[in-house]
């Protein structure tokens, strides 16, 4: 067993190991080889500034193109990568690929926008900052075009070490976003201690924002709080014009969701970036 990031890993398998454990074991084994076999892909989803009608960023989302099981969602292998410690290498691959891709698009003359990458809490080792800084240097991407998404629970673990890593990277010009904001057990005082540029309102609030009064109240309060703290706000999981209306009325102008575009393979995303989001798509009145 690897030392890093192990949570509950047992070395012994009982004879009555069931089918799902077998499946898991084979997935685990395949995950070990996925990197060298080049089976990971990044999809990109645009982030739209609705007041300007432009793409202002993109989130890089990993997929695993498995030779037999097809395209596997990160929800089905990131937890396994975390348990086995493979998240370190996979996470580095994600940062490198996203930086190289963004730089390549910039060099092609496409709009310069930020790429956001999701970081697992397990990636917060003393090597995280040096590794990301080395990748930025290698890719020659201006650090302000890389944003790192972390969750509230990451901020709650090893607070001092995490804080110094975040400060170091922030000083180097990178931005940090809190993903799935509002779903963790968070202490709002973290927003004061950590250099956070952006809060991403979790899609569970956005989903029912027009029908559930408490989701509406929470969403409104999160937006207002972000504004008064001078933190950017972005709504995730935007699917309908009614949600866009609500968010716009509450002064949240940056949005991400299927309404605008699903996450796309790089090739398709570059076309979207070149063409822009159509004006018709974002007029709400
Ligand atoms: P997340 O970072 O919160 O990403 C947003 C998820 O919501 C993505 O799912 C995206 O496809 C989905 N989504 C976007 N717009 C909509 C919408 O309008 N409606 C609905 N229903 N869903 C929408 P995805 O790509 O399956 O990723 C799931 C999660 O896996 C991510 O949630 C993130 O936590 C994790 N993940 C993805 N890529 C990476 C990665 O490279 N590293 C790590 N550590 N985690 C990753
Ligand atoms: Mg995210
Ligand atoms: Mg999220
Ligand atoms: Mg998430």
């Amino acid at each position: 067993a690897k030392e890093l990031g192990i949570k509950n890993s047992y070395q012994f398998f009982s004879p009555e190991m069931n089918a799902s454990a077998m499946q898991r074991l084979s997935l685990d084994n395949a995950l070990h080889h996925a990197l060298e076999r080049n089976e990971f892909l990044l999809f990109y989803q645009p982030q739209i500034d609705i007041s300007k009608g432009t793409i202002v960023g993109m989130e890089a989302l990993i997929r695993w193109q498995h030779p037999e099981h097809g395209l596997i969602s990160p929800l089905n292998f990131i937890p396994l990568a975390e348990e086995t410690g493979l998240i370190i290498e996979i996470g580095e691959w994600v940062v490198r690929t996203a930086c190289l891709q963004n730089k390549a698009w910039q060099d092609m003359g496409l709009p310069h926008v930020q790429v956001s990458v999701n970081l697992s809490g397990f990636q917060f080792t003393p090597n995280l900052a040096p590794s990301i800084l080395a990748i930025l240097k290698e890719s020659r991407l201006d650090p302000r075009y890389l944003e790192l998404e972390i969750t509230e629970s990451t901020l709650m673990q090893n607070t001092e070490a995490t804080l110094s890593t975040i400060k170091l990277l922030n000083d180097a010009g990178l931005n940090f976003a809190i993903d799935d904001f509002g779903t963790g057990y968070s202490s709002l005082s973290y927003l004061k201690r950590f250099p956070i540029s952006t809060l991403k309102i979790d899609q569970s609030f956005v989903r029912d924002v027009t029908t559930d009064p408490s989701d509406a109240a929470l969403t409104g309060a999160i937006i207002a709080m972000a504004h008064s703290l001078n933190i950017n706000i972005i709504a995730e999981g935007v699917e309908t014009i009614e949600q866009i209306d609500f968010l716009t009325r509450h002064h949240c102008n940056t949005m991400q969701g299927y309404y605008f575009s699903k996450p796309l393979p790089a090739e398709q995303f570059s076309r979207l970036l070149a063409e822009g989001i159509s004006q018709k798509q974002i007029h709400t009145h």
Side-chain angles (χ1 to χ4, degrees):
K2 293 243 182 86
E3 302 287 17
L4 265 178
I6 284 220
K7 258 193 320 200
N8 300 301
S9 121
Y10 297 95
Q11 298 305 306
F12 306 105
F13 303 99
S14 62
E16 56 273 6
M17 189 163 66
N18 60 27
S20 96
M22 284 299 284
Q23 220 167 42
R24 193 185 151 77
L25 188 62
S26 92
L27 209 61
D28 184 347
N29 195 34
L31 194 60
H32 274 90
H33 298 292
L35 260 184
E36 65 200 48
R37 291 180 186 157
N38 223 356
E39 292 172 355
F40 292 117
L41 291 171
L42 291 185
F43 276 30
Y44 297 88
Q45 188 179 32
Q47 300 171 330
I48 313 298
D49 180 338
I50 196 125
S51 66
K52 301 198 189 86
T54 54
I55 296 175
V56 292
M58 57 208 169
E59 179 171 8
L61 296 154
I62 196 171
R63 270 94 184 98
W64 178 11
Q65 182 68 62
H66 188 283
E68 289 137 46
H69 306 297
L71 210 57
I72 304 182
S73 152
L75 300 173
N76 293 327
F77 67 87
I78 291 291
L80 186 59
E82 291 177 335
E83 281 174 40
T84 54
L86 283 169
I87 192 66
I88 301 293
E89 278 177 81
I90 294 174
E92 278 179 15
W93 178 88
V94 172
V95 173
R96 178 174 299 106
T97 305
C99 289
L100 288 170
Q101 181 65 81
N102 199 12
K103 178 66 173 152
W105 283 333
Q106 293 185 352
D107 288 348
M108 283 167 63
L110 292 173
H112 288 33
V113 298
Q114 188 170 265
V115 66
S116 301
V117 167
N118 294 281
L119 286 190
S120 154
F122 289 90
Q123 288 175 260
F124 277 80
T125 69
N127 192 44
L128 180 67
S131 147
I132 290 178
L133 294 176
I135 291 169
L136 279 167
K137 211 169 158 197
E138 167 198 331
S139 66
R140 294 181 304 110
L141 181 73
D142 185 329
R144 70 173 180 215
Y145 294 115
L146 177 62
E147 181 177 73
L148 302 172
E149 295 190 4
I150 55 179
T151 61
E152 292 161 279
S153 66
T154 299
L155 293 181
M156 307 289 292
Q157 297 152 7
N158 299 317
T159 306
E160 286 316 314
T162 302
L163 179 61
S164 63
T165 296
I166 290 176
K167 277 190 170 152
L168 208 151
L169 289 170
N170 184 255
D171 287 345
L174 282 81
N175 293 314
F176 281 86
I178 301 190
D179 204 356
D180 308 336
F181 187 76
T183 60
Y185 72 114
S186 75
S187 151
L188 294 174
S189 68
Y190 282 109
L191 296 178
K192 207 170 61 177
R193 290 186 62 204
F194 288 84
I196 299 299
S197 327
T198 304
L199 298 185
K200 299 188 76 175
I201 309 176
D202 189 63
Q203 44 191 57
S204 62
F205 298 115
V206 175
R207 189 178 309 126
D208 299 322
V209 82
T210 57
T211 52
D212 181 331
S214 22
D215 285 334
L218 286 168
T219 300
I222 293 171
I223 297 168
M225 179 185 69
H227 283 317
S228 56
L229 289 170
N230 214 4
I231 296 176
N232 299 316
I233 186 89
I234 159 161
E236 286 198 280
V238 176
E239 296 184 357
T240 69
I241 202 84
E242 290 77 19
Q243 292 165 340
I244 296 177
D245 259 330
F246 178 96
L247 292 163
T248 312
R249 272 188 283 113
H250 289 78
H251 310 290
C252 170
N253 292 317
T254 314
M255 305 180 194
Q256 181 181 342
Y258 294 169
Y259 183 85
F260 305 101
S261 170
K262 292 201 164 175
L264 300 171
E267 182 70 29
Q268 267 169 272
F269 186 86
S270 68
R271 258 174 273 142
L272 188 68
L273 197 53
E275 289 160 12
I277 291 282
S278 86
Q279 286 300 314
K280 201 178 91 222
Q281 239 193 351
I282 57 178
H283 275 312
T284 58
H285 305 110

